[in-house]
Structures are given as C-alpha cells and as structure tokens.
Amino acid sequence: ETGVTQTPRHLVMGMTNKKSLKCEQHLGHNAMYWYKQSAKKPLELMFVYNFKEQTENNSVPSRFSPECPNSSHLFLHLHTLQPEDSALYLCASSQGQGATNEKLFFGSGTQLSVL
Amino acid sequence: DQQVKQNSPSLSVQEGRISILNCDYTNSMFDYFLWYKKYPAEGPTFLISISSIKDKNEDGRFTVFLNKSAKHLSLHIVPSQPGDSAVYFCAASARNAGNMLTFGGGTRLMVKP
C-alpha cells in the first residue's frame, strides 16, 4: 500500500464518452501529479498541483481536464478522447513541488483503453 | 529529445548473479537521481536515490553508482532474486528546474531461477 489510491483500475471508453479518473492520497502531501505511461515510452508528466493550485500543464490537449478540490484529491476528467490516448494513467504525490530531493509516491494507475 | 535514457529495454540475469541497469543523461544541471521499480498492474515504487555530491549509495542488495563526468548512473543488484523481476525506471531532477523528475523509458529485468 503506497498511500495513493486510484480508481478505477481499468477503464474502457468510446471516443464520445465522458469519464473521470480519481486519485486520493493519505500521506499528508501537498503536491499531486498526473503522469501518462504509453507502451515503450518514458513516463510523461501531464499536470502538477501544488497546494491545490495548478503549477504545470505540460502541453496537454484540452480533452484532458484536471481538477484538484483539495490537497488529498485529484481528478482527471476525460472527454472525446482518441484511440492514441490509450495508456496507463498514473497519479503521484509528494511533500511539495520543488522540495529538495523530492520523491514521488505513485498510485497503481488506471489502464485506459479508448475504442 | 530525451534527457534521461535507458538504452537497454530488457535484461535477463540468472538468480544469484549481479544485475546492472544503466542510465544516461544529457542535462548537466541534474543533481539528484532516483531509481523506481514497477511491477505489472502496480505503480512505480521508490527504490534508491543518490545526490550529485556522492558517487555511490548503497542500501542492502542495491547500490547506485554515479559518474558525473560521463553523465551516467547505474543500479547494481546483487545477488539478484526472482522477485527483483520488474521494470526499473531511472529519474533525475535539477534544483534550478523546480526539482521536477524526468524519467527514462525503463528497463525490464528478468531474473531466472
């Protein structure tokens, strides 16, 4: 148990669907992250929230919309996705973005398939 | 362009022998390096790290070596165990870039009994 919980673990959706991924951390951290892992590619940073404020948007298409209502919860709202968006979406948390020698704690991820 | 590269996508090692996983980086401003381990259907978990002021850090069977002049780090696992079979990601960060982690593509380690 890493202290970061993601739901659902698996999601299959059509290109016209709207769905949301949920992440919750029980570690008392102040920063939360969304990463995308596609097959045979490095982890790609998508969004960062630090103390509920979005601090990074790594040129992510608008069909991905993050929401961070508090430091413990993070959502990724999905709308009109493309098949190439199929990937493992990982949530992570850390003490606070930019802290020296920062370590990330990851959830188990949501395996997304877009048909 | 990838700033952190793991050029070997996979590695197979016999149980009890040494596993050496390699990682190269291009950004000379990176000053903190980490290794993460990932099992299937799970998120990456932190394994070991090293600061640029050191050239070696050891934790049990795991040792990370840093060669700053070559911009190269390696993870040594000895002795390797079947439970070490996983994907290993190298990551690096720089204080002048807000300490955001940049990940390599991963190396799949298979330890055969």
Side-chain angles (χ1 to χ4, degrees), chain A residues 2 9 33 35 37 41-43 45 48 56 88 90 97-104 106-108, chain B residues 2 4 31-32 34 36 38 41-46 49 51 89 95 98-101 103-105:
Chain A
T2 64
R9 293 293 303 271
Y33 308 74
Y35 278 86
Q37 187 188 10
K41 284 188 175 181
L43 275 73
L45 178 65
V48 182
E56 295 282 338
L88 179 68
L90 290 161
Q97 183 197 359
T100 301
N101 297 351
E102 186 78 288
K103 294 181 184 65
L104 296 180
F106 285 88
S108 297
Chain B
Q2 275 187 256
V4 179
D31 51 20
Y32 185 58
L34 308 89
Y36 280 82
K38 184 181 182 302
E42 294 183 17
T45 54
F46 170 75
S49 63
S51 167
F89 292 97
R95 261 173 295 186
N99 292 307
M100 295 300 297
L101 290 183
F103 285 87

Side-chain angles (χ1 to χ4, degrees), chain B residues 34-109:
Chain B
L34 308 89
W35 284 94
Y36 280 82
K37 176 180 180 180
K38 184 181 182 302
Y39 291 117
E42 294 183 17
T45 54
F46 170 75
L47 188 58
I48 192 170
S49 63
I50 188 168
S51 167
S52 60
I53 61 173
K54 293 185 174 182
D55 54 18
K56 177 182 174 182
N57 188 26
E58 190 172 353
D59 183 2
R61 297 185 295 113
F62 303 90
T63 303
V64 56
F65 294 92
L66 176 62
N67 182 334
K68 289 186 288 292
S69 60
K71 295 191 180 68
H72 177 83
L73 67 156
S74 60
L75 174 68
H76 292 210
I77 307 172
V78 56
S80 301
Q81 300 173 354
D84 296 328
S85 298
V87 177
Y88 290 78
F89 292 97
C90 167
S93 66
R95 261 173 295 186
N96 71 348
N99 292 307
M100 295 300 297
L101 290 183
T102 300
F103 285 87
T107 296
R108 180 177 302 278
L109 174 66

Side-chain angles (χ1 to χ4, degrees), chain B residues 13-51:
Chain B
V13 170
Q14 203 66 35
E15 180 179 6
R17 305 295 290 270
I18 185 171
S19 297
I20 300 176
L21 297 102
N22 293 304
C23 178
D24 296 293
Y25 61 95
T26 57
N27 187 344
S28 58
M29 299 306 295
F30 285 146
D31 51 20
Y32 185 58
F33 304 88
L34 308 89
W35 284 94
Y36 280 82
K37 176 180 180 180
K38 184 181 182 302
Y39 291 117
E42 294 183 17
T45 54
F46 170 75
L47 188 58
I48 192 170
S49 63
I50 188 168
S51 167

